[in-house]
Amino acid sequence: MLVSIRNKYRHLPKQVKASLWFLVCAFFEKSISIIATPIFTRIMSTSEYGQFNVLYSWLTIVTIIVSLNLCYGVYTQGLIKFSHDRRRYSAALQGLTVVLVLAWTLVYLGFRDFWNSVFSLTTAQMLAMLLMVWTSSVFNFWAGERRVALQYKSLVMVTLLVAIAKPLVGVLLVVYANDKVTARFLGLALVELVGYTGLFFVQMYRGKTFFSRHFWRHALMFNIPLAPHYLSQIMILFNVALSQTLSPWIYQKIKDRRVADIAGVAYGALVLIAVVNLLLIAFAPEIVSIFAPRAYAKATWIVPPIAMSVFFIFAFDLFAKFEFYYERTSLIMIASVIGAVLNVALNYWLIPILGYEVAGYTTLICYVMYAAVHYWFMNRICREKLDTLPYDRKILGMITLTFLAVGFLFLGGYHSVVLRYLLILITAVVGFSKRDYLMTIVNQMLRVRKPI
């Protein structure tokens, strides 16, 4: 039977073999990451593990800003478009990424204290982050070229070796380090530096090109308009980072039957998420105009409903924590099915009538419903298991309605720059008058990040 399988494999087309090995490679890479997770959760405190996840989320955001994600959409498209000059094209984009990373590194070093305070990170963490922006880009450029050429053997080997080395080196550094968060992050940076640097020189040697006005211009003109698309993921990443920080603390409170302690922090987190998303809504016209030409101006009107959706994504996660803790997965499934069916139905009905812009609003409606269903399920579980409700409906309603009202006011101000900036000024004055409350929220978040 084994001989038969081997013979069948040998006769498979190269495209099928490559797809098979790419799938196997991705599976093993993910499996190694999953296996390593319980190791790190035991040698790092809940606070340290949460801080590492926040740091990794920052890496994703910084990568978008610094590298413009040149190793993704535009690169694969360019490998096909410039197939006759593929090696020079690859080398030129490697060179462009080096210039971008070095330029941003100089910007960081020139104002190091400011950036450290903005990100709440150390110099070592920031420099490691910038290094990983470069190393991950190097690998993705090389891997993209391997995939297009169906040269899967070397790609599988490098991917698996690095995937195995990352947790091994990470464990060694974390066990013997006092600053375990930085040690875990430096471990990733070190492995990528050793594992990927050679790939940079391979592509540069083959292409023998660092600067190409033609290739650089093509890449920048292609990817800069995509920046709003990539950056739109930032609010969700912010959600994930904050949720990962709060999750261990909330679960511990549920276990100790001290759910009354959760409300204050949850309200503060919702206000923080609301403020961040309102800033995005308020300045969406300027953000879109900076990153994209006038032809993309219509994208401005989609930002508010998407940003509002992020608020409800975070809200339903707060409610669903109780379903996860008490293992009521059937309720999670029901809520997901309701949300998915509603989304499909609304899009099917409204997009042909109102156009693609309405998709942002159907998404918002679905997440409002999704959060509401999870809220109802949470209350049902809490009445059964805890004989108390964790949140005050009036306070949740006040936060939510205020957020929606201000968000739609900013949306209405898109027709008039003067009106919008007047609204921004009024909001800033109100925020300044409530600065003590906002600082209290920030302090609550910081206290949660400490070990339980």
Side-chain angles (χ1 to χ4, degrees):
M1 185 178 69
L2 292 176
V3 173
S4 175
I5 293 173
R6 185 176 62 184
N7 289 334
K8 288 180 179 179
Y9 173 78
R10 286 177 176 175
H11 290 89
L12 287 175
K14 190 174 183 180
Q15 293 87 343
V16 177
K17 288 182 180 179
S19 299
L20 176 64
W21 279 107
F22 293 153
L23 178 63
V24 170
C25 184
F27 174 78
F28 276 102
E29 186 178 22
K30 189 65 176 177
S31 299
I32 291 169
S33 176
I34 293 172
I35 292 170
T37 298
I39 299 174
F40 286 106
T41 56
R42 282 162 175 77
I43 61 177
M44 300 172 73
S45 69
T46 54
S47 174
E48 290 168 337
Y49 195 74
Q51 289 176 46
F52 169 75
N53 285 324
V54 171
L55 184 56
Y56 206 83
S57 296
W58 276 126
L59 171 63
T60 306
I61 296 170
V62 170
T63 298
I64 295 171
I65 297 171
V66 172
S67 73
L68 296 176
N69 274 355
L70 292 176
C71 55
Y72 292 109
V74 66
Y75 182 59
T76 305
Q77 184 255 18
L79 287 174
I80 304 302
K81 182 174 182 177
F82 306 114
S83 58
H84 61 286
D85 210 2
R86 186 174 291 169
R87 290 185 173 183
R88 286 186 65 247
Y89 176 71
S90 297
L93 262 64
Q94 288 275 18
L96 176 56
T97 302
V98 168
V99 171
L100 291 173
V101 173
L102 288 177
W104 279 103
T105 301
L106 292 175
V107 170
Y108 165 70
L109 292 174
F111 306 93
R112 183 176 59 187
D113 294 337
F114 169 76
W115 291 115
N116 287 351
S117 64
V118 168
F119 290 95
S120 297
L121 302 177
T122 66
T123 299
Q125 291 169 344
M126 287 294 297
L127 290 176
M129 187 179 297
L130 289 165
L131 175 63
M132 289 179 69
V133 171
W134 176 69
T135 54
S136 61
S137 296
V138 166
F139 172 74
N140 286 319
F141 282 129
W142 178 81
E145 189 179 37
R146 298 297 94 186
R147 290 189 181 97
V148 169
L150 300 179
Q151 297 173 343
Y152 56 88
K153 294 181 180 179
S154 56
L155 175 58
V156 171
M157 184 180 300
V158 171
T159 301
L160 293 184
L161 286 175
V162 170
I164 294 170
K166 281 182 177 179
L168 291 178
V169 173
V171 168
L172 289 175
L173 292 178
V174 169
V175 167
Y176 294 103
N178 293 323
D179 184 352
K180 298 185 183 300
V181 177
T182 301
R184 176 77 176 102
F185 204 66
L186 287 176
L188 296 176
L190 178 62
V191 171
E192 289 195 2
L193 181 65
V194 173
Y196 297 156
T197 300
L199 307 179
F200 170 80
F201 290 105
V202 166
Q203 284 195 305
M204 295 303 294
Y205 175 76
R206 289 176 176 174
K208 296 180 174 59
T209 303
F210 185 89
F211 170 76
S212 167
R213 184 176 179 275
H214 175 57
F215 291 144
W216 282 25
R217 184 177 184 277
H218 169 264
L220 292 173
M221 293 299 291
F222 188 100
N223 257 40
I224 286 177
L226 289 176
H229 164 70
Y230 293 130
L231 289 171
S232 67
Q233 303 170 33
I234 287 179
M235 295 299 104
I236 295 175
L237 289 169
F238 185 78
N239 271 13
V240 171
L242 187 54
S243 176
Q244 288 174 336
T245 302
L246 292 177
S247 289
W249 181 83
I250 291 177
Y251 287 139
Q252 187 66 46
K253 292 297 181 182
I254 298 173
K255 179 181 179 181
D256 296 340
R257 302 179 69 86
R258 295 175 57 188
V259 293
D261 296 348
I262 298 174
V265 173
Y267 299 151
L270 283 171
V271 171
L272 185 60
I273 292 289
V275 169
V276 172
N277 282 283
L278 285 175
L279 286 173
L280 176 62
I281 295 171
F283 295 101
E286 286 76 16
I287 294 172
V288 173
S289 65
I290 289 171
F291 285 103
R294 187 178 294 275
Y296 291 81
K298 275 185 151 182
T300 303
W301 298 89
I302 304 176
V303 172
I306 297 299
M308 293 179 193
S309 299
V310 172
F311 174 86
F312 289 97
I313 291 172
F314 185 79
F316 90 68
D317 183 66
L318 284 177
F319 307 149
K321 289 284 190 289
F322 292 83
E323 297 163 62
F324 279 108
Y325 182 82
Y326 289 107
E327 300 180 6
R328 303 293 288 272
T329 52
S330 60
L331 297 180
I332 297 170
M333 179 194 70
I334 292 170
S336 298
V337 169
I338 291 173
V341 171
L342 180 62
N343 192 23
V344 172
L346 288 176
N347 285 334
Y348 180 79
W349 175 39
L350 294 176
I351 289 179
I353 301 172
L354 301 175
Y356 76 92
E357 293 92 346
V358 78
Y361 295 91
T362 59
T363 299
L364 173 59
I365 292 170
C366 291
Y367 277 119
V368 170
M369 177 62 71
Y370 198 44
V373 172
H374 277 293
Y375 177 75
W376 184 67
F377 286 156
M378 176 197 68
N379 285 347
R380 176 177 158 186
I381 291 171
C382 289
R383 288 190 183 99
E384 293 175 3
K385 301 291 186 179
L386 301 169
D387 297 321
T388 186
L389 300 181
Y391 306 119
D392 187 309
R393 184 173 57 186
K394 292 181 180 178
I395 296 177
L396 285 177
M398 181 183 68
I399 295 171
T400 302
L401 292 176
T402 302
F403 167 68
L404 290 173
V406 176
F408 279 112
L409 279 174
F410 283 135
L411 175 60
Y414 286 178
H415 292 289
S416 169
V417 175
V418 175
L419 175 60
R420 182 159 53 87
Y421 273 86
L422 179 60
L423 292 170
I424 291 172
L425 179 61
I426 294 171
T427 305
V429 170
V430 173
F432 182 77
S433 66
K434 299 291 184 182
R435 62 189 182 280
D436 292 337
Y437 173 67
L438 294 175
M439 286 306 302
T440 301
I441 291 173
V442 173
N443 290 331
Q444 285 178 327
M445 297 299 103
L446 293 174
R447 284 199 295 271
V448 167
R449 288 174 63 176
K450 293 178 180 179
I452 300 170

